Amino acid sequence: MFTGIVEGLGKVESLRASAGGTRRLTVKTSLEVGKLPIGASMAVNGACLTIVARRAGRPSTFQADVGPETLACTTLGSLGPGSRVHLEPALRLGDSLGGHMVSGHVDGTGCVESARKQASTLALRVTAPEELATYLFKKGSVAIAGVSLTINQVAGTSFEVLLIPHTLEVTFLGELRAGSRVNLEADMIAKQVARFVERIHAR
C-alpha cells in the first residue's frame, strides 16, 4: 500500500531486456534504499515494483524487474536513461496517511490534454481510458504518475486537477505537456463501491 505522497525523485540509469519478457530497471536516487530489504515494494511513477537488488549510500541505486503486464498497462516501458521518476516506498504500519490509499496497481494510462498556468498553480487536464472514467468524480482522488491529487472537474472521460506550488516543486508533473502519457490509478474505495453496486444490480 502507498499514499501517493512522493518521497523522492529518481533518475533511470537503464532499462534492459531480461528473461521471460521482463525488463530490469535500474534507478539512482537520494533516498536511502540500502535500508530497505530485498523484496521490498517501491512505487515507481505509481506502479508497485519489487526491489531485487540495491546499493546503499547517497546517491543509492536499486533494481526492479518490470513484467510484461506492467509494461503493457503503464508508461514504464518508455523510460530511458536520464528519465526522472517519482518514488514512494511502501506504507508501513503506523505511518501517516497523508494522501489517499493507493495500491500501486495502475489502472491504465492517460493522455495530457493541456497544462495551463494559473498564477502560481498549474491546471492539468488529462483524458482517461473510458473504463477508468467511471471512477472519476469531482472532489474525488486520483493518482497521476503516483502522485495523490484531488479532481476539480470532470467532463466525459477527461478530468482536471490543480497543482499547487509544493507539488510542482517536489514532482515532475509541471514538466508535462499536451500529449504526455501518464500512469493513472483511480480511488480504491470508489472502485470497490462501483463494483459492489454493479453486482447488486446484476442479481
Side-chain angles (χ1 to χ4, degrees), residues 28-62:
K28 181 192 294 184
T29 175
S30 60
L31 296 179
E32 184 47 271
V33 296
K35 296 179 180 179
L36 299 176
I38 298 298
S41 295
M42 177 75 75
V44 179
N45 283 356
C48 179
L49 301 179
T50 300
I51 294 176
V52 297
R54 76 275 191 272
R55 186 184 70 214
R58 291 187 183 275
S60 57
T61 62
F62 70 90

PDB file of all heavy atoms in Angstrom, residues 28-62:
ATOM      1  N   LYS A  28      18.686   5.489  -9.909  1.00  0.00           N
ATOM      2  CA  LYS A  28      19.533   6.176  -8.928  1.00  0.00           C
ATOM      3  C   LYS A  28      18.661   7.188  -8.185  1.00  0.00           C
ATOM      4  O   LYS A  28      17.837   7.879  -8.788  1.00  0.00           O
ATOM      5  CB  LYS A  28      20.672   6.904  -9.615  1.00  0.00           C
ATOM      6  CG  LYS A  28      21.622   7.639  -8.662  1.00  0.00           C
ATOM      7  CD  LYS A  28      22.553   8.581  -9.403  1.00  0.00           C
ATOM      8  CE  LYS A  28      23.505   7.824 -10.303  1.00  0.00           C
ATOM      9  NZ  LYS A  28      24.477   8.749 -10.955  1.00  0.00           N
ATOM     10  N   THR A  29      18.845   7.277  -6.862  1.00  0.00           N
ATOM     11  CA  THR A  29      18.007   8.169  -6.067  1.00  0.00           C
ATOM     12  C   THR A  29      18.745   8.661  -4.833  1.00  0.00           C
ATOM     13  O   THR A  29      19.710   8.023  -4.375  1.00  0.00           O
ATOM     14  CB  THR A  29      16.714   7.442  -5.625  1.00  0.00           C
ATOM     15  OG1 THR A  29      15.972   8.295  -4.744  1.00  0.00           O
ATOM     16  CG2 THR A  29      17.012   6.146  -4.905  1.00  0.00           C
ATOM     17  N   SER A  30      18.281   9.768  -4.259  1.00  0.00           N
ATOM     18  CA  SER A  30      18.832  10.263  -2.998  1.00  0.00           C
ATOM     19  C   SER A  30      18.187   9.557  -1.808  1.00  0.00           C
ATOM     20  O   SER A  30      18.644   9.713  -0.671  1.00  0.00           O
ATOM     21  CB  SER A  30      18.620  11.779  -2.888  1.00  0.00           C
ATOM     22  OG  SER A  30      17.234  12.086  -2.920  1.00  0.00           O
ATOM     23  N   LEU A  31      17.114   8.802  -2.034  1.00  0.00           N
ATOM     24  CA  LEU A  31      16.514   8.021  -0.951  1.00  0.00           C
ATOM     25  C   LEU A  31      17.491   6.939  -0.507  1.00  0.00           C
ATOM     26  O   LEU A  31      18.186   6.354  -1.338  1.00  0.00           O
ATOM     27  CB  LEU A  31      15.205   7.370  -1.411  1.00  0.00           C
ATOM     28  CG  LEU A  31      14.042   8.294  -1.787  1.00  0.00           C
ATOM     29  CD1 LEU A  31      12.853   7.466  -2.239  1.00  0.00           C
ATOM     30  CD2 LEU A  31      13.654   9.172  -0.612  1.00  0.00           C
ATOM     31  N   GLU A  32      17.514   6.651   0.782  1.00  0.00           N
ATOM     32  CA  GLU A  32      18.432   5.640   1.297  1.00  0.00           C
ATOM     33  C   GLU A  32      17.794   4.258   1.157  1.00  0.00           C
ATOM     34  O   GLU A  32      17.236   3.706   2.108  1.00  0.00           O
ATOM     35  CB  GLU A  32      18.781   5.930   2.758  1.00  0.00           C
ATOM     36  CG  GLU A  32      19.809   4.985   3.362  1.00  0.00           C
ATOM     37  CD  GLU A  32      21.018   4.765   2.478  1.00  0.00           C
ATOM     38  OE1 GLU A  32      20.978   3.840   1.642  1.00  0.00           O
ATOM     39  OE2 GLU A  32      21.992   5.520   2.614  1.00  0.00           O
ATOM     40  N   VAL A  33      17.831   3.727  -0.053  1.00  0.00           N
ATOM     41  CA  VAL A  33      17.191   2.438  -0.302  1.00  0.00           C
ATOM     42  C   VAL A  33      17.986   1.278   0.288  1.00  0.00           C
ATOM     43  O   VAL A  33      17.477   0.159   0.380  1.00  0.00           O
ATOM     44  CB  VAL A  33      16.971   2.197  -1.824  1.00  0.00           C
ATOM     45  CG1 VAL A  33      16.016   3.207  -2.393  1.00  0.00           C
ATOM     46  CG2 VAL A  33      18.296   2.214  -2.571  1.00  0.00           C
ATOM     47  N   GLY A  34      19.222   1.541   0.726  1.00  0.00           N
ATOM     48  CA  GLY A  34      20.018   0.495   1.355  1.00  0.00           C
ATOM     49  C   GLY A  34      19.390  -0.016   2.640  1.00  0.00           C
ATOM     50  O   GLY A  34      19.687  -1.123   3.093  1.00  0.00           O
ATOM     51  N   LYS A  35      18.493   0.783   3.233  1.00  0.00           N
ATOM     52  CA  LYS A  35      17.805   0.376   4.453  1.00  0.00           C
ATOM     53  C   LYS A  35      16.625  -0.540   4.167  1.00  0.00           C
ATOM     54  O   LYS A  35      16.052  -1.131   5.087  1.00  0.00           O
ATOM     55  CB  LYS A  35      17.323   1.611   5.217  1.00  0.00           C
ATOM     56  CG  LYS A  35      18.447   2.511   5.724  1.00  0.00           C
ATOM     57  CD  LYS A  35      17.890   3.717   6.452  1.00  0.00           C
ATOM     58  CE  LYS A  35      19.014   4.612   6.963  1.00  0.00           C
ATOM     59  NZ  LYS A  35      18.469   5.813   7.656  1.00  0.00           N
ATOM     60  N   LEU A  36      16.235  -0.625   2.898  1.00  0.00           N
ATOM     61  CA  LEU A  36      15.102  -1.467   2.527  1.00  0.00           C
ATOM     62  C   LEU A  36      15.591  -2.870   2.195  1.00  0.00           C
ATOM     63  O   LEU A  36      16.615  -3.036   1.544  1.00  0.00           O
ATOM     64  CB  LEU A  36      14.374  -0.875   1.315  1.00  0.00           C
ATOM     65  CG  LEU A  36      13.780   0.524   1.491  1.00  0.00           C
ATOM     66  CD1 LEU A  36      13.185   1.025   0.174  1.00  0.00           C
ATOM     67  CD2 LEU A  36      12.706   0.533   2.575  1.00  0.00           C
ATOM     68  N   PRO A  37      14.844  -3.899   2.615  1.00  0.00           N
ATOM     69  CA  PRO A  37      15.274  -5.267   2.319  1.00  0.00           C
ATOM     70  C   PRO A  37      15.006  -5.650   0.868  1.00  0.00           C
ATOM     71  O   PRO A  37      14.141  -5.049   0.210  1.00  0.00           O
ATOM     72  CB  PRO A  37      14.418  -6.109   3.266  1.00  0.00           C
ATOM     73  CG  PRO A  37      13.170  -5.306   3.441  1.00  0.00           C
ATOM     74  CD  PRO A  37      13.611  -3.861   3.424  1.00  0.00           C
ATOM     75  N   ILE A  38      15.733  -6.620   0.376  1.00  0.00           N
ATOM     76  CA  ILE A  38      15.413  -7.194  -0.927  1.00  0.00           C
ATOM     77  C   ILE A  38      14.000  -7.769  -0.825  1.00  0.00           C
ATOM     78  O   ILE A  38      13.645  -8.435   0.146  1.00  0.00           O
ATOM     79  CB  ILE A  38      16.409  -8.313  -1.304  1.00  0.00           C
ATOM     80  CG1 ILE A  38      17.822  -7.732  -1.422  1.00  0.00           C
ATOM     81  CG2 ILE A  38      15.994  -8.993  -2.606  1.00  0.00           C
ATOM     82  CD1 ILE A  38      17.978  -6.679  -2.494  1.00  0.00           C
ATOM     83  N   GLY A  39      13.183  -7.498  -1.816  1.00  0.00           N
ATOM     84  CA  GLY A  39      11.786  -7.927  -1.778  1.00  0.00           C
ATOM     85  C   GLY A  39      10.837  -6.834  -1.342  1.00  0.00           C
ATOM     86  O   GLY A  39       9.615  -7.013  -1.408  1.00  0.00           O
ATOM     87  N   ALA A  40      11.377  -5.680  -0.897  1.00  0.00           N
ATOM     88  CA  ALA A  40      10.529  -4.558  -0.503  1.00  0.00           C
ATOM     89  C   ALA A  40       9.859  -3.955  -1.727  1.00  0.00           C
ATOM     90  O   ALA A  40      10.353  -4.057  -2.857  1.00  0.00           O
ATOM     91  CB  ALA A  40      11.359  -3.494   0.215  1.00  0.00           C
ATOM     92  N   SER A  41       8.723  -3.311  -1.497  1.00  0.00           N
ATOM     93  CA  SER A  41       7.984  -2.678  -2.587  1.00  0.00           C
ATOM     94  C   SER A  41       8.365  -1.214  -2.734  1.00  0.00           C
ATOM     95  O   SER A  41       8.616  -0.531  -1.741  1.00  0.00           O
ATOM     96  CB  SER A  41       6.476  -2.780  -2.342  1.00  0.00           C
ATOM     97  OG  SER A  41       6.053  -4.121  -2.366  1.00  0.00           O
ATOM     98  N   MET A  42       8.413  -0.760  -3.978  1.00  0.00           N
ATOM     99  CA  MET A  42       8.683   0.640  -4.289  1.00  0.00           C
ATOM    100  C   MET A  42       7.758   1.053  -5.431  1.00  0.00           C
ATOM    101  O   MET A  42       7.708   0.378  -6.466  1.00  0.00           O
ATOM    102  CB  MET A  42      10.145   0.828  -4.711  1.00  0.00           C
ATOM    103  CG  MET A  42      10.495   2.260  -5.120  1.00  0.00           C
ATOM    104  SD  MET A  42      10.651   3.400  -3.730  1.00  0.00           S
ATOM    105  CE  MET A  42      12.252   2.902  -3.071  1.00  0.00           C
ATOM    106  N   ALA A  43       7.021   2.138  -5.225  1.00  0.00           N
ATOM    107  CA  ALA A  43       6.185   2.666  -6.299  1.00  0.00           C
ATOM    108  C   ALA A  43       7.048   3.543  -7.198  1.00  0.00           C
ATOM    109  O   ALA A  43       7.673   4.498  -6.728  1.00  0.00           O
ATOM    110  CB  ALA A  43       5.019   3.463  -5.742  1.00  0.00           C
ATOM    111  N   VAL A  44       7.079   3.210  -8.480  1.00  0.00           N
ATOM    112  CA  VAL A  44       7.832   3.978  -9.473  1.00  0.00           C
ATOM    113  C   VAL A  44       6.813   4.563 -10.446  1.00  0.00           C
ATOM    114  O   VAL A  44       6.157   3.826 -11.184  1.00  0.00           O
ATOM    115  CB  VAL A  44       8.850   3.100 -10.220  1.00  0.00           C
ATOM    116  CG1 VAL A  44       9.592   3.919 -11.270  1.00  0.00           C
ATOM    117  CG2 VAL A  44       9.828   2.460  -9.243  1.00  0.00           C
ATOM    118  N   ASN A  45       6.648   5.872 -10.401  1.00  0.00           N
ATOM    119  CA  ASN A  45       5.600   6.538 -11.185  1.00  0.00           C
ATOM    120  C   ASN A  45       4.239   5.884 -10.956  1.00  0.00           C
ATOM    121  O   ASN A  45       3.422   5.761 -11.864  1.00  0.00           O
ATOM    122  CB  ASN A  45       5.942   6.543 -12.681  1.00  0.00           C
ATOM    123  CG  ASN A  45       6.976   7.597 -13.020  1.00  0.00           C
ATOM    124  OD1 ASN A  45       7.389   8.376 -12.161  1.00  0.00           O
ATOM    125  ND2 ASN A  45       7.419   7.623 -14.270  1.00  0.00           N
ATOM    126  N   GLY A  46       4.022   5.450  -9.715  1.00  0.00           N
ATOM    127  CA  GLY A  46       2.726   4.898  -9.339  1.00  0.00           C
ATOM    128  C   GLY A  46       2.585   3.414  -9.509  1.00  0.00           C
ATOM    129  O   GLY A  46       1.572   2.840  -9.103  1.00  0.00           O
ATOM    130  N   ALA A  47       3.558   2.751 -10.109  1.00  0.00           N
ATOM    131  CA  ALA A  47       3.498   1.297 -10.317  1.00  0.00           C
ATOM    132  C   ALA A  47       4.308   0.594  -9.243  1.00  0.00           C
ATOM    133  O   ALA A  47       5.488   0.897  -9.051  1.00  0.00           O
ATOM    134  CB  ALA A  47       4.033   0.931 -11.697  1.00  0.00           C
ATOM    135  N   CYS A  48       3.681  -0.344  -8.547  1.00  0.00           N
ATOM    136  CA  CYS A  48       4.358  -1.070  -7.479  1.00  0.00           C
ATOM    137  C   CYS A  48       5.329  -2.084  -8.064  1.00  0.00           C
ATOM    138  O   CYS A  48       4.933  -2.991  -8.798  1.00  0.00           O
ATOM    139  CB  CYS A  48       3.319  -1.783  -6.606  1.00  0.00           C
ATOM    140  SG  CYS A  48       4.038  -2.745  -5.269  1.00  0.00           S
ATOM    141  N   LEU A  49       6.614  -1.927  -7.720  1.00  0.00           N
ATOM    142  CA  LEU A  49       7.655  -2.846  -8.166  1.00  0.00           C
ATOM    143  C   LEU A  49       8.365  -3.446  -6.952  1.00  0.00           C
ATOM    144  O   LEU A  49       8.315  -2.881  -5.862  1.00  0.00           O
ATOM    145  CB  LEU A  49       8.670  -2.123  -9.058  1.00  0.00           C
ATOM    146  CG  LEU A  49       8.136  -1.456 -10.326  1.00  0.00           C
ATOM    147  CD1 LEU A  49       9.280  -0.761 -11.065  1.00  0.00           C
ATOM    148  CD2 LEU A  49       7.445  -2.457 -11.230  1.00  0.00           C
ATOM    149  N   THR A  50       9.020  -4.570  -7.167  1.00  0.00           N
ATOM    150  CA  THR A  50       9.750  -5.248  -6.096  1.00  0.00           C
ATOM    151  C   THR A  50      11.246  -5.019  -6.259  1.00  0.00           C
ATOM    152  O   THR A  50      11.797  -5.261  -7.345  1.00  0.00           O
ATOM    153  CB  THR A  50       9.459  -6.759  -6.124  1.00  0.00           C
ATOM    154  OG1 THR A  50       8.054  -6.964  -5.933  1.00  0.00           O
ATOM    155  CG2 THR A  50      10.231  -7.482  -5.030  1.00  0.00           C
ATOM    156  N   ILE A  51      11.898  -4.547  -5.194  1.00  0.00           N
ATOM    157  CA  ILE A  51      13.338  -4.322  -5.239  1.00  0.00           C
ATOM    158  C   ILE A  51      14.050  -5.677  -5.235  1.00  0.00           C
ATOM    159  O   ILE A  51      13.855  -6.493  -4.332  1.00  0.00           O
ATOM    160  CB  ILE A  51      13.795  -3.480  -4.042  1.00  0.00           C
ATOM    161  CG1 ILE A  51      13.206  -2.061  -4.143  1.00  0.00           C
ATOM    162  CG2 ILE A  51      15.318  -3.415  -3.967  1.00  0.00           C
ATOM    163  CD1 ILE A  51      13.517  -1.172  -2.951  1.00  0.00           C
ATOM    164  N   VAL A  52      14.868  -5.918  -6.264  1.00  0.00           N
ATOM    165  CA  VAL A  52      15.583  -7.199  -6.368  1.00  0.00           C
ATOM    166  C   VAL A  52      17.080  -7.040  -6.123  1.00  0.00           C
ATOM    167  O   VAL A  52      17.791  -8.022  -5.931  1.00  0.00           O
ATOM    168  CB  VAL A  52      15.332  -7.861  -7.743  1.00  0.00           C
ATOM    169  CG1 VAL A  52      13.858  -8.202  -7.910  1.00  0.00           C
ATOM    170  CG2 VAL A  52      15.807  -6.969  -8.886  1.00  0.00           C
ATOM    171  N   ALA A  53      17.550  -5.801  -6.129  1.00  0.00           N
ATOM    172  CA  ALA A  53      18.958  -5.514  -5.826  1.00  0.00           C
ATOM    173  C   ALA A  53      19.043  -4.041  -5.443  1.00  0.00           C
ATOM    174  O   ALA A  53      18.253  -3.226  -5.916  1.00  0.00           O
ATOM    175  CB  ALA A  53      19.857  -5.803  -7.027  1.00  0.00           C
ATOM    176  N   ARG A  54      19.986  -3.696  -4.546  1.00  0.00           N
ATOM    177  CA  ARG A  54      20.154  -2.289  -4.192  1.00  0.00           C
ATOM    178  C   ARG A  54      21.553  -2.048  -3.683  1.00  0.00           C
ATOM    179  O   ARG A  54      22.227  -2.958  -3.221  1.00  0.00           O
ATOM    180  CB  ARG A  54      19.114  -1.819  -3.177  1.00  0.00           C
ATOM    181  CG  ARG A  54      19.321  -2.252  -1.734  1.00  0.00           C
ATOM    182  CD  ARG A  54      18.743  -3.616  -1.497  1.00  0.00           C
ATOM    183  NE  ARG A  54      18.681  -3.957  -0.096  1.00  0.00           N
ATOM    184  CZ  ARG A  54      19.654  -4.532   0.591  1.00  0.00           C
ATOM    185  NH1 ARG A  54      20.813  -4.774   0.016  1.00  0.00           N
ATOM    186  NH2 ARG A  54      19.492  -4.850   1.852  1.00  0.00           N
ATOM    187  N   ARG A  55      21.972  -0.788  -3.803  1.00  0.00           N
ATOM    188  CA  ARG A  55      23.284  -0.363  -3.326  1.00  0.00           C
ATOM    189  C   ARG A  55      23.095   0.806  -2.377  1.00  0.00           C
ATOM    190  O   ARG A  55      22.410   1.783  -2.712  1.00  0.00           O
ATOM    191  CB  ARG A  55      24.172   0.065  -4.489  1.00  0.00           C
ATOM    192  CG  ARG A  55      25.615   0.378  -4.071  1.00  0.00           C
ATOM    193  CD  ARG A  55      26.428   0.884  -5.247  1.00  0.00           C
ATOM    194  NE  ARG A  55      25.986   2.211  -5.646  1.00  0.00           N
ATOM    195  CZ  ARG A  55      25.972   2.657  -6.901  1.00  0.00           C
ATOM    196  NH1 ARG A  55      26.337   1.864  -7.888  1.00  0.00           N
ATOM    197  NH2 ARG A  55      25.572   3.880  -7.178  1.00  0.00           N
ATOM    198  N   ALA A  56      23.656   0.693  -1.169  1.00  0.00           N
ATOM    199  CA  ALA A  56      23.492   1.730  -0.160  1.00  0.00           C
ATOM    200  C   ALA A  56      24.347   2.946  -0.481  1.00  0.00           C
ATOM    201  O   ALA A  56      25.164   2.939  -1.401  1.00  0.00           O
ATOM    202  CB  ALA A  56      23.844   1.169   1.211  1.00  0.00           C
ATOM    203  N   GLY A  57      24.139   4.010   0.307  1.00  0.00           N
ATOM    204  CA  GLY A  57      24.908   5.239   0.134  1.00  0.00           C
ATOM    205  C   GLY A  57      24.044   6.359  -0.405  1.00  0.00           C
ATOM    206  O   GLY A  57      22.840   6.217  -0.566  1.00  0.00           O
ATOM    207  N   ARG A  58      24.657   7.491  -0.645  1.00  0.00           N
ATOM    208  CA  ARG A  58      23.948   8.621  -1.236  1.00  0.00           C
ATOM    209  C   ARG A  58      24.799   9.209  -2.353  1.00  0.00           C
ATOM    210  O   ARG A  58      25.889   9.713  -2.080  1.00  0.00           O
ATOM    211  CB  ARG A  58      23.648   9.695  -0.174  1.00  0.00           C
ATOM    212  CG  ARG A  58      22.611   9.240   0.842  1.00  0.00           C
ATOM    213  CD  ARG A  58      22.224  10.375   1.766  1.00  0.00           C
ATOM    214  NE  ARG A  58      21.288   9.955   2.782  1.00  0.00           N
ATOM    215  CZ  ARG A  58      19.969   9.895   2.609  1.00  0.00           C
ATOM    216  NH1 ARG A  58      19.446  10.221   1.459  1.00  0.00           N
ATOM    217  NH2 ARG A  58      19.193   9.520   3.584  1.00  0.00           N
ATOM    218  N   PRO A  59      24.362   9.139  -3.633  1.00  0.00           N
ATOM    219  CA  PRO A  59      23.092   8.531  -4.028  1.00  0.00           C
ATOM    220  C   PRO A  59      23.148   7.003  -3.951  1.00  0.00           C
ATOM    221  O   PRO A  59      24.222   6.412  -3.995  1.00  0.00           O
ATOM    222  CB  PRO A  59      22.919   8.991  -5.476  1.00  0.00           C
ATOM    223  CG  PRO A  59      24.313   9.172  -5.969  1.00  0.00           C
ATOM    224  CD  PRO A  59      25.100   9.667  -4.791  1.00  0.00           C
ATOM    225  N   SER A  60      21.983   6.412  -3.813  1.00  0.00           N
ATOM    226  CA  SER A  60      21.872   4.964  -3.802  1.00  0.00           C
ATOM    227  C   SER A  60      21.188   4.517  -5.088  1.00  0.00           C
ATOM    228  O   SER A  60      20.644   5.331  -5.838  1.00  0.00           O
ATOM    229  CB  SER A  60      21.069   4.498  -2.578  1.00  0.00           C
ATOM    230  OG  SER A  60      19.789   5.103  -2.563  1.00  0.00           O
ATOM    231  N   THR A  61      21.229   3.238  -5.351  1.00  0.00           N
ATOM    232  CA  THR A  61      20.545   2.707  -6.533  1.00  0.00           C
ATOM    233  C   THR A  61      19.766   1.462  -6.138  1.00  0.00           C
ATOM    234  O   THR A  61      20.071   0.802  -5.150  1.00  0.00           O
ATOM    235  CB  THR A  61      21.529   2.324  -7.659  1.00  0.00           C
ATOM    236  OG1 THR A  61      22.393   1.292  -7.187  1.00  0.00           O
ATOM    237  CG2 THR A  61      22.333   3.515  -8.128  1.00  0.00           C
ATOM    238  N   PHE A  62      18.739   1.171  -6.924  1.00  0.00           N
ATOM    239  CA  PHE A  62      18.024  -0.086  -6.753  1.00  0.00           C
ATOM    240  C   PHE A  62      17.631  -0.613  -8.130  1.00  0.00           C
ATOM    241  O   PHE A  62      17.562   0.136  -9.112  1.00  0.00           O
ATOM    242  CB  PHE A  62      16.791   0.076  -5.852  1.00  0.00           C
ATOM    243  CG  PHE A  62      15.661   0.858  -6.466  1.00  0.00           C
ATOM    244  CD1 PHE A  62      14.665   0.228  -7.210  1.00  0.00           C
ATOM    245  CD2 PHE A  62      15.586   2.232  -6.288  1.00  0.00           C
ATOM    246  CE1 PHE A  62      13.623   0.956  -7.764  1.00  0.00           C
ATOM    247  CE2 PHE A  62      14.547   2.966  -6.842  1.00  0.00           C
ATOM    248  CZ  PHE A  62      13.550   2.323  -7.577  1.00  0.00           C
TER     249      PHE A  62
END
